[in-house]
Amino acid sequence: MAAEPRPRLTRELVAMRVARELAPGSTVNLGVGLPTLVGAFAPPEANILLQSENGILGYGGFSEGDYDQDLINAGGQPVTLNPGASFFDSAASFAMIRGGHIDTAVLGGLQVSERGDLANWSVPERGGGSIGGAMDLAVGARRLIVAMEHTTKDGRPRILQACTYPLTGRGCVDLIVTDLAVIEVGAKGLALREVAPGWTPGEVAALTDAPLTVTGAVPEMAL
Amino acid sequence: MAAEPRPRLTRELVAMRVARELAPGSTVNLGVGLPTLVGAFAPPEANILLQSENGILGYGGFSEGDYDQDLINAGGQPVTLNPGASFFDSAASFAMIRGGHIDTAVLGGLQVSERGDLANWSVPERGGGSIGGAMDLAVGARRLIVAMEHTTKDGRPRILQACTYPLTGRGCVDLIVTDLAVIEVGAKGLALREVAPGWTPGEVAALTDAPLTVTGAVPEMAL
Amino acid sequence: MTATFYDTPDEALEGVGDGASVMVGGFVSASSPTNLIWALKRRGTRNLTAIATNIGFGDRLDDLCEDGQIAKAIASFAVRASSARASRFEEQYRAGEVELELVPQGTLAERIRAGGAGIGGFLTRTGVGTQVAEGKEVLSWQGEEYLLERPLHADVAILKAHRADRLGNLSYRMAGRNFNAVMATAADLVIAEVEEIVETGALPPDAIHTPAVYVDRIVRCDPVEVRWDGR
Amino acid sequence: MTATFYDTPDEALEGVGDGASVMVGGFVSASSPTNLIWALKRRGTRNLTAIATNIGFGDRLDDLCEDGQIAKAIASFAVRASSARASRFEEQYRAGEVELELVPQGTLAERIRAGGAGIGGFLTRTGVGTQVAEGKEVLSWQGEEYLLERPLHADVAILKAHRADRLGNLSYRMAGRNFNAVMATAADLVIAEVEEIVETGALPPDAIHTPAVYVDRIVRCDPVEVRWDGR
């Protein structure tokens, strides 16, 4: 790998950029891993309602105090409740998710295709993998944002013409936010909307294995 | 019509006979009309749990006091609550009914066939009729008892080889309790188990348009 | 989005136009949204498809038939087996002026739940071998026949709850959940009349039956007494 | 029938035999029936099919793998994408010693609900175009493809609730409803461990999440602390 022009964004900066996508008052489900960090960057006045697939609407930040094993998010982390929070069972929770009542879901990704296919649950060469609620969120959320690293640890693109890993959902991704770029998935393929500070559209395209449409000047991500 | 040997049972006596079929601690759904009366004849120590399809488990007698329009049974009648009662929505209520969690349902009937088909929601010559929860109870209850008059007002049999009215359910009836007899529906057809006081099996059979099997002496209903 | 609050039921119905499909919560007298029904009447919205478990059984939904506002009903109780005592809806039904899709009550509740839960259909034994099966696909499971029933979704749902908080969470009283809690999930626009509005946080998380995510508009109204004599 | 009360979790499992299918409530640490799981371990019941949203993710269900009691799991979280840190179940899965049916979590919840509600199958978009679709019928609704998923029912369900009353009604704490409340409806024998038993009538009718009709056996146990570090 050639030396890169600038550092890539940290996980926190990716989460911060994703947080700017959340409309005030909207209902949001955050997947495990990087997406979990997004909650902390949504301003309190935005009144985001966080949904957790284990049966909570309106949870807050991570719990710092006494551990309560009955009050956890879908990643198993202890959380707090915001005023107006409610509890329900798993069937009701997934009825909410699959019925199109979640405005935005943020999921991690292993691969995304130019048609918006998502693969995020299994790496065949390692075997195994678990589906959890990812396939339900992929089809159910009104808008799906994938937050991930632009390339694998050894530098291979994760944004591809077609996914090679087992799919989570077909044509489900609306927006990809990586440590290098913001890319929108549309009917005509992928549109490069923003690049990380110090990166050019050409440099990002070179690390992407699917055509990226560029319209006019591509701004740097505002963070 | 020839003069009948004895009076037929009153609606209250039919309800009283049905009440004897309810196992202690069992969950029971009572249809509108005559079946509603059954509740009053179940001894309190039997701890029958009455389910109402509008979302109550554990309602009690009719409410005599202040009218509360939010506390009614499926027939729209104000009721009381027993200790341990619970509320739920209509989808949960019919999940309970259709999932086989109601031990016994008692429904009114217009016609029952020798195969246990039930017709109880529409009289074609009058037009109209409403289904309500009857079709759900017919397939969902573990045991279905039909409580009805043995014949129509003009003396025609209601127990037939085949129903002529639109069906509520196919092969769903387990026991028929009328103002003349108790009849069990089995794989081999109808078995006459009891007759009303003063009536003979032959007299009941003459008012029934399906074969009745008789095994040994048929006792009079104990009331 | 958090719910919007209105001063009157008439205003809460803003934008509900002719030809709308409207789910109407409640069961006979229990938590029937009578204020919103009467507002629909005052506004004169016409050509409505009403989805409700009952019409003309003590409820005031039947009042919309006075001026012929209902074109079609999808219901489980709508027409009596005898015409001795008929609601306005029944008279219009018997005269061929309104359309009726009669649905078993459990199938109605489950179709609405499916509409709210992204379920494209479900298999039920209810109605097998009856008129209800006409025109429906029959599939089998473990040797038994089941009907394939399809989801119901509506343009608007009008509901009656007991309390709402400022976020839009709802709680119902007694047997008031009935079809209200199910319909809250299955319409593009969900409007609730409530007896009381409390501050967010005042409803315990376990006392919320309809989470705020489902509710668009709320109006506080004194409840209307409804009685049905059972006939 | 009203519930029967037992003194110990081991006694509460009386009659649960080898080869049983067992639904296990809880979600990671939240209201997982650890006392009943450990009783299954002590009793040495073998060849079990475990139906649970997670196995080996902080839960103690994985403990049953120590002595090879689980033959098959139906779960949504069971195997990590890397073998760097594996549960006992995962080791046995990678060694081909146990069978796994991996199910999307929402489909798992809905299949269990269907099993409890007399639904013979339902259509969902979850899994269309993925490995999950293999061998399943595809039906359409309004131009979209849906998978036909089938109900799940078990011989036994073991649950953890917060409180029970003497009739058998259950209420859960916080996010403890999760799979517990759904599984309560879908097994022939439903056994709950609870932290507290109260007199009938002490649970308000609106605070009962699992009505008594679903519950067969109850045992009071101190809850076991479970923690998952998220890996």
Side-chain angles (χ1 to χ4, degrees), chain D residues 12-224:
Chain D
L13 287 169
E14 190 194 335
V16 176
D18 291 355
S21 56
V22 183
M23 289 183 177
V24 182
F27 181 95
V28 187
S29 66
S31 289
S32 184
T34 306
N35 288 289
L36 287 166
I37 290 168
W38 282 346
L40 267 176
K41 185 162 164 56
R42 284 188 297 267
R43 291 171 60 91
T45 319
R46 301 187 61 78
N47 199 23
L48 298 171
T49 294
I51 302 167
T53 189
N54 50 273
I55 175 166
F57 286 71
D59 56 82
R60 307 314 295 261
L61 184 53
D62 192 52
D63 293 4
L64 295 182
C65 295
E66 255 174 24
D67 302 316
Q69 292 174 265
I70 293 182
K72 178 180 176 180
I74 301 175
S76 70
F77 293 102
V79 179
R80 288 161 180 78
S82 137
S83 57
R85 182 181 146 134
S87 67
R88 293 185 198 89
F89 179 84
E90 288 181 63
E91 285 165 8
Q92 293 172 13
Y93 173 73
R94 288 176 188 271
E97 295 164 12
V98 293
E99 204 184 326
L100 171 64
E101 182 181 341
L102 191 62
V103 182
Q105 194 177 175
T107 295
L108 183 65
E110 191 71 18
R111 287 178 65 191
I112 296 167
R113 179 187 180 274
I119 303 289
F122 60 89
L123 306 186
T124 179
R125 290 192 299 129
T126 296
V128 169
T130 75
Q131 285 183 5
V132 164
E134 282 168 22
K136 286 175 189 154
E137 247 181 286
V138 176
L139 280 84
S140 70
W141 171 243
Q142 296 183 332
E144 288 243 38
E145 291 183 349
Y146 288 75
L147 301 185
L148 173 58
E149 292 280 1
R150 296 299 194 168
L152 274 174
H153 203 272
D155 297 325
V156 184
I158 58 175
L159 315 175
K160 154 93 170 57
H162 183 223
R163 291 199 179 95
D165 70 16
R166 289 277 161 199
L167 201 59
N169 291 300
L170 303 180
S171 71
Y172 305 91
R173 221 184 132 257
M174 300 283 191
R177 274 183 245 182
N178 56 56
F179 276 83
N180 286 300
V182 192
M183 290 173 172
T185 68
D188 291 337
L189 176 65
V190 175
I191 310 170
E193 60 168 274
V194 303
E195 297 180 35
E196 195 185 346
I197 294 168
V198 299
E199 289 312 306
T200 301
L203 298 176
D206 263 326
I208 292 169
H209 303 121
T210 293
V213 66
Y214 291 116
V215 185
D216 299 299
R217 299 180 182 179
I218 291 171
V219 57
R220 203 214 66 78
C221 301
D222 290 330
V224 177

Side-chain angles (χ1 to χ4, degrees), chain B residues 34-52:
Chain B
L34 193 160
T36 300
L37 304 175
V38 172
F41 294 107
E45 64 273 19
N47 288 313
I48 301 297
L49 267 177
L50 291 179
Q51 201 259 14
S52 188

Side-chain angles (χ1 to χ4, degrees), chain C residues 15-95:
Chain C
V16 176
D18 290 355
S21 56
V22 183
M23 289 183 176
V24 182
F27 181 95
V28 187
S29 65
S31 289
S32 183
T34 306
N35 288 289
L36 287 166
I37 290 167
W38 282 346
L40 268 177
K41 185 162 163 57
R42 284 189 296 267
R43 291 171 59 91
T45 320
R46 302 187 62 78
N47 199 23
L48 298 170
T49 295
I51 303 167
T53 190
N54 50 271
I55 175 167
F57 285 72
D59 56 82
R60 307 313 295 261
L61 184 54
D62 192 51
D63 292 4
L64 296 182
C65 295
E66 255 175 22
D67 303 317
Q69 292 174 262
I70 293 180
K72 178 180 177 180
I74 301 175
S76 71
F77 292 101
V79 178
R80 288 161 179 75
S82 138
S83 57
R85 182 180 145 134
S87 67
R88 292 184 201 90
F89 180 83
E90 288 181 63
E91 286 165 8
Q92 291 172 14
Y93 173 74
R94 288 176 187 271

